[in-house]
Amino acid sequence: MFRSLRQPGVLAITLAAAGILAITMGARQSLGLFVSPLNSATGLGIASISLALAVGQFTWGAIQPIAGAAADRWGPRAVLVAGILVLALGSAITPFMDSTFGLVVSLGLLSAIGSGAGSFSVLIGAAAQRLPAEARGAASGVINAGGSFGQFVFAPLLQKLIQLFGWMGALWSLAVMTLAALPLIGKVAQSDHAAARPAEEKGGLRRAVREAMGDRSYLLLHAGFFTCGFHIAFLVTHLPGEVDLCGLPPSVASWSLAIIGLANIFGSLYAGSWVARYRSRNVLALMYASRAVLVALYLMLPKTEWTFYLFAAGLGFTWLATVPPTAALVGKLFGIRYLGTLFGLTLLSHQIGGFLGAWLGGISITLTGDYSWMWYADIALAALAAVLNLPIREAPVVRVPQPA
């Protein structure tokens, strides 16, 4: 599965990018643990805090094409450094915010901009331009698995820090931990100069974006990824609340998020290998269909600790494993010269869905007292996404012999 990564320098770049994503995604995907403590401390209400996190979901997506375009134009080094510093700042100032507007600034803007600038579009785009073609699929899987490993580590760690030092101390600790990504940037950007990047194509970035937005397959890919964002943001933000509604302790939520991250490590690694063996559109359709089935099963089962853990393991296998086949499809459709930008635009669609998933979850619990309608919407959207991916234009996979 990983023979292509054994070439000199390939593994180092891949692991450095995975390490950065572990920190930025681990920090971002664990913010749902702070919803209840923030509500108790500020009295702002779940809906207001959900709005701030929903703004963060959209902002994280909106920054992706911008950060990707900046990295495509000038290289990833400055983009990644700025992102890590802004992410740390957002975490550090959140304890001083006691209004909805303040939380929107710290969590909805700063933290989201910082984590987005150090996320998929920049890291996968940088790796794709620095790695041989035969290594890109496996590398995207490993990089993606890094984000899942971060969630696996950060969720129980932050829950323990909240218990030991309170939610304020946990956020300040998170700000310090974020800075650990800075030493890894040099390896990802080690070939950071114009000669290392593909030559500028005729018409440049504007022409590439214009052609992509007129491509039916690209738009169908956006529609499916919208559903992925809705699903993930709803669960990351409101799974702790769902656990609480079921009368279970907070540790069940933190361990469920950790299990999602652990399961997605394996899912991401397999997804990276699958894109070299099967059509990415079929891989995506299968992933989305499996989510609809799993959510339906969850609704029918008794709500025990093991129900949540098994549900988390099943969902976790495809959690962010959609990223490698989605990035692969963008690369197949349009090449890698502007992959950071074009994949960044698909991530924007993902996070528009994420905004709605986080925000509507807060509205649902406020108006109805539970998340029933959100679960039903999740099933419907996942099934629709599975169908929409099937017509995407994609040539049959050509098997390339792997280096021994």
Side-chain angles (χ1 to χ4, degrees):
M1 186 188 300
F2 304 112
R3 290 180 181 177
S4 60
L5 300 182
R6 298 176 185 173
Q7 303 173 52
V10 170
L11 186 60
I13 293 173
T14 301
L15 290 180
I20 294 171
L21 192 61
I23 293 171
T24 60
M25 288 298 291
R28 176 177 172 272
Q29 296 282 57
S30 302
L31 289 178
L33 297 172
F34 293 94
V35 172
S36 180
L38 272 168
N39 184 44
S40 298
T42 64
L44 293 174
I46 299 296
S48 294
I49 298 170
S50 296
L51 175 61
L53 294 179
V55 171
Q57 293 288 342
F58 177 79
T59 302
W60 186 87
I63 198 65
Q64 295 284 337
I66 298 172
D72 285 342
R73 177 64 180 86
W74 295 293
R77 188 187 303 274
V79 176
L80 290 171
V81 170
I84 298 304
L85 294 177
V86 172
L87 173 57
L89 176 63
S91 299
I93 68 171
T94 296
F96 301 104
M97 302 301 173
D98 58 1
S99 66
T100 301
F101 177 77
L103 290 179
V104 167
V105 170
S106 63
L107 296 178
L109 295 177
L110 293 177
S111 291
I113 288 172
S115 59
S119 193
F120 295 108
S121 63
V122 174
L123 292 171
I124 290 181
Q129 293 184 6
R130 289 160 175 78
L131 300 180
E134 65 273 12
R136 289 171 192 155
S140 67
V142 172
I143 293 168
N144 197 54
S148 302
F149 180 75
Q151 181 174 332
F152 171 69
V153 171
F154 274 67
L157 176 60
L158 287 172
Q159 183 66 55
K160 181 59 68 175
L161 289 173
I162 290 171
Q163 294 171 352
L164 292 175
F165 305 117
W167 68 274
M168 292 184 177
L171 279 170
W172 289 326
S173 299
L174 179 60
V176 174
M177 289 188 290
T178 298
L179 299 178
L182 290 173
L184 299 174
I185 293 173
K187 182 59 67 175
V188 176
Q190 65 178 1
S191 300
D192 187 9
H193 52 79
R197 296 192 296 274
E200 190 79 15
E201 296 177 359
K202 183 179 179 181
L205 178 60
R206 290 185 180 179
R207 180 173 181 268
V209 171
R210 185 169 61 251
E211 289 182 355
M213 295 308 296
D215 190 292
R216 176 173 174 267
S217 293
Y218 186 61
L219 296 180
L220 289 173
L221 191 62
H222 277 232
F225 223 31
F226 169 93
T227 293
C228 183
F230 181 94
H231 171 90
I232 287 176
F234 165 58
L235 284 171
V236 165
T237 306
H238 297 289
L239 184 61
E242 175 77 1
V243 168
D244 184 61
L245 285 176
C246 296
L248 297 171
S251 60
V252 174
S254 62
W255 278 111
S256 294
L257 290 173
I259 290 169
I260 288 172
L262 179 63
N264 197 230
I265 293 172
F266 298 99
S268 296
L269 295 177
Y270 275 100
S273 67
W274 288 340
V275 299
R277 300 171 58 191
Y278 309 107
R279 291 187 179 184
S280 296
R281 68 184 187 188
N282 295 335
V283 174
L284 287 169
L286 180 61
M287 288 180 176
Y288 291 132
S290 72
R291 292 183 183 183
V293 172
L294 284 167
V295 173
L297 288 173
Y298 164 76
L299 292 178
M300 293 186 289
L301 291 172
K303 304 305 181 287
T304 66
E305 292 183 19
W306 282 103
T307 295
F308 278 99
Y309 296 154
L310 292 173
F311 180 55
L315 286 179
F317 195 77
T318 67
W319 187 250
L320 283 170
T322 54
V323 169
T326 301
L329 271 173
V330 175
K332 289 177 182 179
L333 290 170
F334 308 109
I336 65 167
R337 175 61 186 91
Y338 299 110
L339 180 61
T341 306
L342 297 179
F343 183 48
L345 287 170
T346 65
L347 286 165
L348 174 57
S349 294
H350 186 280
Q351 292 314 115
I352 293 173
F355 171 87
L356 292 173
W359 180 49
L360 292 178
I363 296 297
S364 176
I365 189 66
T366 301
L367 295 180
T368 69
D370 61 32
Y371 297 107
S372 296
W373 287 106
M374 291 298 294
W375 291 118
Y376 300 147
D378 205 9
I379 293 172
L381 287 172
L384 180 62
V387 173
L388 290 177
N389 272 271
L390 293 175
I392 290 176
R393 171 173 50 89
E394 182 182 9
V397 174
V398 178
R399 305 293 175 84
V400 179
Q402 296 294 324

